[in-house]
């Protein structure tokens, strides 16, 4: 009888340790999602800021300036529910404005243009990477949260179900050619 109770106690402690380890792993994944989201937000803000600076610099033609400024402003001011759409529209505006290498060369010829194009190139290159890191972290947390043990024992607590950030992040061809 005593041996049976000891074995039951050992089994319960082992199960408790395993569940605690799983809950800790899930917590670390949620922290990783938060850090990746902060990095993604920083890169999106940087891209929108650089685009807005270029739009107001007077280097671009007026139509391109208006398109780029409005898209960048909308991306910076978008509510969370509309953020993916606004960022996708900024990507489309960047592709429209910098579709040809001639536009990039025009900006580079202006005072400070080389630095502005370099900063924009870096910004549009980093956004897809930051989004990929975020979505990878979300995928890992979602896969773990789908396990029965996580659902049955409510190991996720009250944390919201993680959502991927889906947007059009294809960079302008002229900037990609320049970076490559």
């Amino acid at each position: 009888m005593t041996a049976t109770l000891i074995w039951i106690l050992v089994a319960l402690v082992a199960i408790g340790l395993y569940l605690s380890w799983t809950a800790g792993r899930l917590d670390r994944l949620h922290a990783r999602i938060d850090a990746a989201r902060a990095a993604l937000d920083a890169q999106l803000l940087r891209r929108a800021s650089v685009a807005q600076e270029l739009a107001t610099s007077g280097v671009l033609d007026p139509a391109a300036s208006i398109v780029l400024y409005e898209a960048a402003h909308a991306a910076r001011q978008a509510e969370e529910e509309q953020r993916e759409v606004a960022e996708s529209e900024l990507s489309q505006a960047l592709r429209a404005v910098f579709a040809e290498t001639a536009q990039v060369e025009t900006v580079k010829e202006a005072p400070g243009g080389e630095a502005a194009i370099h900063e924009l190139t870096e910004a549009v290159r980093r956004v897809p990477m930051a989004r990929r890191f975020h979505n990878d972290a979300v995928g890992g947390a979602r896969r773990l949260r789908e396990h029965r043990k996580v659902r049955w024992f409510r190991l996720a607590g009250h944390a919201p179900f993680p959502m991927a950030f889906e947007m059009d992040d294809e960079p302008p061809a002229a900037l990609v050619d320049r970076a490559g």
Side-chain angles (χ1 to χ4, degrees):
M1 179 75 173
T2 309
T4 306
L5 288 176
I6 291 174
W7 282 112
I8 290 173
L9 185 62
V10 167
L12 288 175
V13 167
I15 290 170
L17 287 173
Y18 177 70
L19 291 175
S20 175
W21 175 81
T22 303
R25 182 172 160 223
L26 189 58
D27 186 50
R28 288 188 301 276
L29 282 171
H30 281 276
R32 191 172 134 210
I33 289 170
D34 291 342
R37 181 58 188 243
L40 175 61
D41 287 342
Q43 292 306 321
L44 292 171
L45 180 63
R46 179 176 180 224
R47 181 181 76 152
S49 297
V50 172
Q52 237 177 353
E53 285 177 25
L54 270 174
T56 58
S57 68
V59 175
L60 302 172
D61 64 89
S65 292
I66 290 171
V67 167
L68 195 57
Y69 180 83
E70 286 181 355
H73 181 72
R76 290 183 71 179
Q77 300 297 320
E79 296 292 326
E80 192 60 36
E81 305 84 39
Q82 297 298 318
R83 184 97 187 267
E84 293 171 350
V85 173
E87 294 295 346
S88 294
E89 289 173 355
L90 177 55
S91 294
Q92 293 166 3
L94 285 166
R95 280 197 308 273
V97 171
F98 294 105
E100 298 177 9
T101 311
Q103 184 74 310
V104 175
E105 294 303 322
T106 302
V107 173
K108 282 173 48 178
E109 291 170 2
E114 182 72 38
I117 287 295
H118 176 72
E119 192 173 354
L120 182 62
T121 301
E122 288 299 308
V124 298
R125 186 181 62 80
R126 289 181 179 165
V127 166
M129 289 188 296
R131 190 175 73 84
R132 198 171 311 120
F133 287 135
H134 175 267
N135 288 349
D136 287 347
V138 166
R142 289 176 92 163
R143 283 188 296 277
L144 184 58
R145 285 181 71 151
E146 289 172 357
H147 289 212
R148 266 181 261 167
K149 65 180 177 260
V150 174
R151 289 193 319 260
W152 287 351
F153 293 101
R154 300 174 194 249
L155 299 181
H158 296 289
F161 195 74
M163 301 301 290
F165 194 86
E166 298 299 333
M167 64 172 269
D168 174 7
D169 60 5
E170 184 181 337
L175 293 178
V176 172
D177 295 342
R178 185 184 180 289

mmCIF file of all heavy atoms in Angstrom, residues 65-98:
data_model
loop_
_atom_site.group_PDB
_atom_site.id
_atom_site.type_symbol
_atom_site.label_atom_id
_atom_site.label_comp_id
_atom_site.label_asym_id
_atom_site.label_seq_id
_atom_site.Cartn_x
_atom_site.Cartn_y
_atom_site.Cartn_z
ATOM 1 N N SER A 65 5.205 61.950 -54.839
ATOM 2 C CA SER A 65 5.305 62.429 -53.461
ATOM 3 C C SER A 65 3.986 62.274 -52.724
ATOM 4 O O SER A 65 3.949 61.820 -51.579
ATOM 5 C CB SER A 65 5.729 63.898 -53.424
ATOM 6 O OG SER A 65 7.051 64.039 -53.870
ATOM 7 N N ILE A 66 2.899 62.635 -53.388
ATOM 8 C CA ILE A 66 1.582 62.547 -52.750
ATOM 9 C C ILE A 66 1.219 61.090 -52.468
ATOM 10 O O ILE A 66 0.777 60.748 -51.364
ATOM 11 C CB ILE A 66 0.506 63.232 -53.624
ATOM 12 C CG1 ILE A 66 0.722 64.736 -53.602
ATOM 13 C CG2 ILE A 66 -0.895 62.886 -53.137
ATOM 14 C CD1 ILE A 66 -0.128 65.503 -54.589
ATOM 15 N N VAL A 67 1.428 60.217 -53.451
ATOM 16 C CA VAL A 67 1.106 58.789 -53.282
ATOM 17 C C VAL A 67 1.911 58.203 -52.127
ATOM 18 O O VAL A 67 1.375 57.520 -51.250
ATOM 19 C CB VAL A 67 1.370 58.018 -54.599
ATOM 20 C CG1 VAL A 67 1.361 56.519 -54.369
ATOM 21 C CG2 VAL A 67 0.348 58.409 -55.648
ATOM 22 N N LEU A 68 3.204 58.480 -52.123
ATOM 23 C CA LEU A 68 4.080 57.924 -51.100
ATOM 24 C C LEU A 68 3.777 58.508 -49.722
ATOM 25 O O LEU A 68 3.712 57.771 -48.730
ATOM 26 C CB LEU A 68 5.547 58.179 -51.479
ATOM 27 C CG LEU A 68 6.588 57.389 -50.726
ATOM 28 C CD1 LEU A 68 6.347 55.888 -50.851
ATOM 29 C CD2 LEU A 68 7.978 57.723 -51.244
ATOM 30 N N TYR A 69 3.549 59.811 -49.655
ATOM 31 C CA TYR A 69 3.267 60.443 -48.371
ATOM 32 C C TYR A 69 1.965 59.918 -47.778
ATOM 33 O O TYR A 69 1.911 59.593 -46.585
ATOM 34 C CB TYR A 69 3.195 61.965 -48.504
ATOM 35 C CG TYR A 69 2.912 62.629 -47.182
ATOM 36 C CD1 TYR A 69 3.948 62.880 -46.290
ATOM 37 C CD2 TYR A 69 1.616 62.963 -46.804
ATOM 38 C CE1 TYR A 69 3.697 63.457 -45.055
ATOM 39 C CE2 TYR A 69 1.360 63.540 -45.576
ATOM 40 C CZ TYR A 69 2.401 63.785 -44.706
ATOM 41 O OH TYR A 69 2.147 64.344 -43.481
ATOM 42 N N GLU A 70 0.911 59.838 -48.588
ATOM 43 C CA GLU A 70 -0.381 59.377 -48.073
ATOM 44 C C GLU A 70 -0.310 57.935 -47.598
ATOM 45 O O GLU A 70 -0.874 57.589 -46.562
ATOM 46 C CB GLU A 70 -1.465 59.544 -49.135
ATOM 47 C CG GLU A 70 -1.874 60.994 -49.317
ATOM 48 C CD GLU A 70 -2.968 61.180 -50.346
ATOM 49 O OE1 GLU A 70 -3.355 60.197 -51.009
ATOM 50 O OE2 GLU A 70 -3.427 62.325 -50.492
ATOM 51 N N ALA A 71 0.396 57.084 -48.343
ATOM 52 C CA ALA A 71 0.518 55.675 -47.936
ATOM 53 C C ALA A 71 1.343 55.554 -46.653
ATOM 54 O O ALA A 71 0.992 54.782 -45.747
ATOM 55 C CB ALA A 71 1.145 54.852 -49.055
ATOM 56 N N ALA A 72 2.430 56.309 -46.565
ATOM 57 C CA ALA A 72 3.270 56.252 -45.363
ATOM 58 C C ALA A 72 2.529 56.808 -44.153
ATOM 59 O O ALA A 72 2.604 56.243 -43.058
ATOM 60 C CB ALA A 72 4.574 57.025 -45.600
ATOM 61 N N HIS A 73 1.808 57.898 -44.365
ATOM 62 C CA HIS A 73 1.044 58.489 -43.263
ATOM 63 C C HIS A 73 -0.050 57.530 -42.782
ATOM 64 O O HIS A 73 -0.253 57.355 -41.572
ATOM 65 C CB HIS A 73 0.434 59.822 -43.707
ATOM 66 C CG HIS A 73 -0.339 60.505 -42.627
ATOM 67 N ND1 HIS A 73 0.261 61.091 -41.540
ATOM 68 C CD2 HIS A 73 -1.676 60.672 -42.453
ATOM 69 C CE1 HIS A 73 -0.664 61.598 -40.746
ATOM 70 N NE2 HIS A 73 -1.854 61.349 -41.278
ATOM 71 N N ALA A 74 -0.732 56.911 -43.732
ATOM 72 C CA ALA A 74 -1.783 55.945 -43.370
ATOM 73 C C ALA A 74 -1.195 54.758 -42.616
ATOM 74 O O ALA A 74 -1.803 54.260 -41.662
ATOM 75 C CB ALA A 74 -2.512 55.472 -44.625
ATOM 76 N N ALA A 75 -0.013 54.302 -43.010
ATOM 77 C CA ALA A 75 0.623 53.176 -42.322
ATOM 78 C C ALA A 75 1.020 53.552 -40.897
ATOM 79 O O ALA A 75 0.884 52.736 -39.977
ATOM 80 C CB ALA A 75 1.850 52.708 -43.105
ATOM 81 N N ARG A 76 1.484 54.761 -40.718
ATOM 82 C CA ARG A 76 1.892 55.197 -39.375
ATOM 83 C C ARG A 76 0.702 55.428 -38.456
ATOM 84 O O ARG A 76 0.810 55.233 -37.245
ATOM 85 C CB ARG A 76 2.727 56.465 -39.460
ATOM 86 C CG ARG A 76 4.098 56.214 -40.062
ATOM 87 C CD ARG A 76 4.926 57.434 -40.085
ATOM 88 N NE ARG A 76 5.327 57.766 -38.729
ATOM 89 C CZ ARG A 76 6.089 58.807 -38.427
ATOM 90 N NH1 ARG A 76 6.524 59.606 -39.365
ATOM 91 N NH2 ARG A 76 6.412 59.048 -37.185
ATOM 92 N N GLN A 77 -0.427 55.844 -39.019
ATOM 93 C CA GLN A 77 -1.594 56.190 -38.210
ATOM 94 C C GLN A 77 -2.630 55.078 -38.105
ATOM 95 O O GLN A 77 -3.634 55.252 -37.426
ATOM 96 C CB GLN A 77 -2.266 57.442 -38.795
ATOM 97 C CG GLN A 77 -1.374 58.651 -38.844
ATOM 98 C CD GLN A 77 -0.926 59.108 -37.466
ATOM 99 O OE1 GLN A 77 -1.707 59.090 -36.528
ATOM 100 N NE2 GLN A 77 0.325 59.492 -37.336
ATOM 101 N N ALA A 78 -2.408 53.961 -38.758
ATOM 102 C CA ALA A 78 -3.420 52.900 -38.832
ATOM 103 C C ALA A 78 -3.684 52.285 -37.464
ATOM 104 O O ALA A 78 -2.770 52.073 -36.662
ATOM 105 C CB ALA A 78 -2.973 51.815 -39.803
ATOM 106 N N GLU A 79 -4.953 51.991 -37.233
ATOM 107 C CA GLU A 79 -5.349 51.241 -36.040
ATOM 108 C C GLU A 79 -4.876 49.796 -36.219
ATOM 109 O O GLU A 79 -4.626 49.358 -37.328
ATOM 110 C CB GLU A 79 -6.869 51.279 -35.875
ATOM 111 C CG GLU A 79 -7.434 52.658 -35.619
ATOM 112 C CD GLU A 79 -7.038 53.205 -34.263
ATOM 113 O OE1 GLU A 79 -6.914 52.413 -33.304
ATOM 114 O OE2 GLU A 79 -6.836 54.429 -34.168
ATOM 115 N N GLU A 80 -4.805 49.064 -35.133
ATOM 116 C CA GLU A 80 -4.279 47.697 -35.170
ATOM 117 C C GLU A 80 -5.043 46.802 -36.146
ATOM 118 O O GLU A 80 -4.442 45.986 -36.832
ATOM 119 C CB GLU A 80 -4.301 47.093 -33.763
ATOM 120 C CG GLU A 80 -3.528 45.816 -33.639
ATOM 121 C CD GLU A 80 -2.051 45.949 -33.974
ATOM 122 O OE1 GLU A 80 -1.454 46.986 -33.669
ATOM 123 O OE2 GLU A 80 -1.492 45.002 -34.562
ATOM 124 N N GLU A 81 -6.357 46.975 -36.234
ATOM 125 C CA GLU A 81 -7.162 46.126 -37.118
ATOM 126 C C GLU A 81 -6.866 46.400 -38.582
ATOM 127 O O GLU A 81 -7.050 45.527 -39.420
ATOM 128 C CB GLU A 81 -8.668 46.342 -36.877
ATOM 129 C CG GLU A 81 -9.125 46.154 -35.453
ATOM 130 C CD GLU A 81 -8.920 47.413 -34.612
ATOM 131 O OE1 GLU A 81 -9.135 48.533 -35.093
ATOM 132 O OE2 GLU A 81 -8.519 47.251 -33.447
ATOM 133 N N GLN A 82 -6.448 47.607 -38.913
ATOM 134 C CA GLN A 82 -6.201 47.998 -40.303
ATOM 135 C C GLN A 82 -4.716 48.062 -40.646
ATOM 136 O O GLN A 82 -4.354 48.442 -41.755
ATOM 137 C CB GLN A 82 -6.839 49.371 -40.566
ATOM 138 C CG GLN A 82 -8.332 49.381 -40.408
ATOM 139 C CD GLN A 82 -9.001 48.448 -41.402
ATOM 140 O OE1 GLN A 82 -8.636 48.394 -42.560
ATOM 141 N NE2 GLN A 82 -9.975 47.685 -40.924
ATOM 142 N N ARG A 83 -3.878 47.678 -39.722
ATOM 143 C CA ARG A 83 -2.432 47.852 -39.912
ATOM 144 C C ARG A 83 -1.888 47.037 -41.073
ATOM 145 O O ARG A 83 -1.086 47.531 -41.858
ATOM 146 C CB ARG A 83 -1.726 47.451 -38.612
ATOM 147 C CG ARG A 83 -0.238 47.665 -38.607
ATOM 148 C CD ARG A 83 0.107 48.975 -37.938
ATOM 149 N NE ARG A 83 1.496 49.297 -38.059
ATOM 150 C CZ ARG A 83 2.418 48.992 -37.178
ATOM 151 N NH1 ARG A 83 2.088 48.351 -36.084
ATOM 152 N NH2 ARG A 83 3.668 49.343 -37.371
ATOM 153 N N GLU A 84 -2.311 45.785 -41.203
ATOM 154 C CA GLU A 84 -1.797 44.937 -42.276
ATOM 155 C C GLU A 84 -2.145 45.512 -43.646
ATOM 156 O O GLU A 84 -1.310 45.524 -44.548
ATOM 157 C CB GLU A 84 -2.352 43.521 -42.136
ATOM 158 C CG GLU A 84 -1.850 42.807 -40.903
ATOM 159 C CD GLU A 84 -2.550 41.489 -40.649
ATOM 160 O OE1 GLU A 84 -3.555 41.199 -41.312
ATOM 161 O OE2 GLU A 84 -2.076 40.743 -39.777
ATOM 162 N N VAL A 85 -3.365 46.008 -43.786
ATOM 163 C CA VAL A 85 -3.798 46.593 -45.059
ATOM 164 C C VAL A 85 -3.014 47.867 -45.357
ATOM 165 O O VAL A 85 -2.535 48.075 -46.478
ATOM 166 C CB VAL A 85 -5.317 46.883 -45.036
ATOM 167 C CG1 VAL A 85 -5.762 47.636 -46.277
ATOM 168 C CG2 VAL A 85 -6.088 45.587 -44.885
ATOM 169 N N ALA A 86 -2.848 48.723 -44.360
ATOM 170 C CA ALA A 86 -2.128 49.980 -44.553
ATOM 171 C C ALA A 86 -0.662 49.728 -44.910
ATOM 172 O O ALA A 86 -0.106 50.402 -45.790
ATOM 173 C CB ALA A 86 -2.224 50.839 -43.298
ATOM 174 N N GLU A 87 -0.044 48.753 -44.256
ATOM 175 C CA GLU A 87 1.357 48.440 -44.567
ATOM 176 C C GLU A 87 1.486 47.835 -45.966
ATOM 177 O O GLU A 87 2.455 48.093 -46.673
ATOM 178 C CB GLU A 87 1.938 47.500 -43.516
ATOM 179 C CG GLU A 87 2.067 48.117 -42.133
ATOM 180 C CD GLU A 87 3.062 49.265 -42.042
ATOM 181 O OE1 GLU A 87 3.877 49.455 -42.967
ATOM 182 O OE2 GLU A 87 3.038 49.973 -41.019
ATOM 183 N N SER A 88 0.509 47.034 -46.357
ATOM 184 C CA SER A 88 0.511 46.475 -47.716
ATOM 185 C C SER A 88 0.371 47.587 -48.752
ATOM 186 O O SER A 88 1.030 47.552 -49.801
ATOM 187 C CB SER A 88 -0.623 45.469 -47.887
ATOM 188 O OG SER A 88 -0.407 44.346 -47.078
ATOM 189 N N GLU A 89 -0.475 48.565 -48.454
ATOM 190 C CA GLU A 89 -0.642 49.692 -49.373
ATOM 191 C C GLU A 89 0.639 50.519 -49.471
ATOM 192 O O GLU A 89 0.967 51.034 -50.545
ATOM 193 C CB GLU A 89 -1.825 50.550 -48.950
ATOM 194 C CG GLU A 89 -3.149 49.859 -49.203
ATOM 195 C CD GLU A 89 -4.347 50.605 -48.639
ATOM 196 O OE1 GLU A 89 -4.148 51.638 -47.957
ATOM 197 O OE2 GLU A 89 -5.472 50.136 -48.868
ATOM 198 N N LEU A 90 1.370 50.635 -48.377
ATOM 199 C CA LEU A 90 2.663 51.328 -48.431
ATOM 200 C C LEU A 90 3.638 50.547 -49.305
ATOM 201 O O LEU A 90 4.378 51.145 -50.095
ATOM 202 C CB LEU A 90 3.236 51.542 -47.029
ATOM 203 C CG LEU A 90 4.620 52.196 -46.972
ATOM 204 C CD1 LEU A 90 4.646 53.536 -47.713
ATOM 205 C CD2 LEU A 90 5.064 52.360 -45.531
ATOM 206 N N SER A 91 3.646 49.240 -49.192
ATOM 207 C CA SER A 91 4.516 48.421 -50.051
ATOM 208 C C SER A 91 4.164 48.639 -51.517
ATOM 209 O O SER A 91 5.059 48.763 -52.373
ATOM 210 C CB SER A 91 4.369 46.933 -49.711
ATOM 211 O OG SER A 91 4.836 46.667 -48.422
ATOM 212 N N GLN A 92 2.877 48.683 -51.816
ATOM 213 C CA GLN A 92 2.444 48.904 -53.203
ATOM 214 C C GLN A 92 2.845 50.293 -53.688
ATOM 215 O O GLN A 92 3.273 50.466 -54.833
ATOM 216 C CB GLN A 92 0.936 48.704 -53.314
ATOM 217 C CG GLN A 92 0.517 47.269 -53.089
ATOM 218 C CD GLN A 92 -0.979 47.121 -52.852
ATOM 219 O OE1 GLN A 92 -1.728 48.089 -52.900
ATOM 220 N NE2 GLN A 92 -1.407 45.898 -52.582
ATOM 221 N N ALA A 93 2.726 51.286 -52.820
ATOM 222 C CA ALA A 93 3.123 52.646 -53.190
ATOM 223 C C ALA A 93 4.630 52.718 -53.436
ATOM 224 O O ALA A 93 5.075 53.362 -54.404
ATOM 225 C CB ALA A 93 2.714 53.636 -52.097
ATOM 226 N N LEU A 94 5.409 52.070 -52.592
ATOM 227 C CA LEU A 94 6.859 52.055 -52.795
ATOM 228 C C LEU A 94 7.218 51.387 -54.116
ATOM 229 O O LEU A 94 8.110 51.849 -54.841
ATOM 230 C CB LEU A 94 7.554 51.344 -51.631
ATOM 231 C CG LEU A 94 7.647 52.137 -50.333
ATOM 232 C CD1 LEU A 94 8.037 51.226 -49.180
ATOM 233 C CD2 LEU A 94 8.645 53.280 -50.489
ATOM 234 N N ARG A 95 6.515 50.280 -54.433
ATOM 235 C CA ARG A 95 6.784 49.608 -55.709
ATOM 236 C C ARG A 95 6.388 50.484 -56.887
ATOM 237 O O ARG A 95 7.053 50.494 -57.912
ATOM 238 C CB ARG A 95 6.060 48.265 -55.770
ATOM 239 C CG ARG A 95 6.771 47.177 -55.017
ATOM 240 C CD ARG A 95 6.285 45.790 -55.406
ATOM 241 N NE ARG A 95 4.844 45.621 -55.339
ATOM 242 C CZ ARG A 95 4.181 45.271 -54.243
ATOM 243 N NH1 ARG A 95 4.838 45.035 -53.120
ATOM 244 N NH2 ARG A 95 2.871 45.124 -54.265
ATOM 245 N N ALA A 96 5.298 51.233 -56.743
ATOM 246 C CA ALA A 96 4.868 52.107 -57.838
ATOM 247 C C ALA A 96 5.840 53.267 -58.045
ATOM 248 O O ALA A 96 6.195 53.596 -59.178
ATOM 249 C CB ALA A 96 3.463 52.650 -57.549
ATOM 250 N N VAL A 97 6.289 53.858 -56.958
ATOM 251 C CA VAL A 97 7.180 55.012 -57.058
ATOM 252 C C VAL A 97 8.580 54.596 -57.502
ATOM 253 O O VAL A 97 9.206 55.264 -58.330
ATOM 254 C CB VAL A 97 7.232 55.776 -55.717
ATOM 255 C CG1 VAL A 97 8.320 56.839 -55.727
ATOM 256 C CG2 VAL A 97 5.879 56.398 -55.417
ATOM 257 N N PHE A 98 9.077 53.492 -56.978
ATOM 258 C CA PHE A 98 10.438 53.047 -57.298
ATOM 259 C C PHE A 98 10.432 51.814 -58.196
ATOM 260 O O PHE A 98 11.235 50.908 -58.020
ATOM 261 C CB PHE A 98 11.212 52.772 -56.005
ATOM 262 C CG PHE A 98 11.445 54.010 -55.199
ATOM 263 C CD1 PHE A 98 10.704 54.259 -54.048
ATOM 264 C CD2 PHE A 98 12.369 54.958 -55.600
ATOM 265 C CE1 PHE A 98 10.901 55.404 -53.314
ATOM 266 C CE2 PHE A 98 12.567 56.114 -54.867
ATOM 267 C CZ PHE A 98 11.832 56.341 -53.719
#
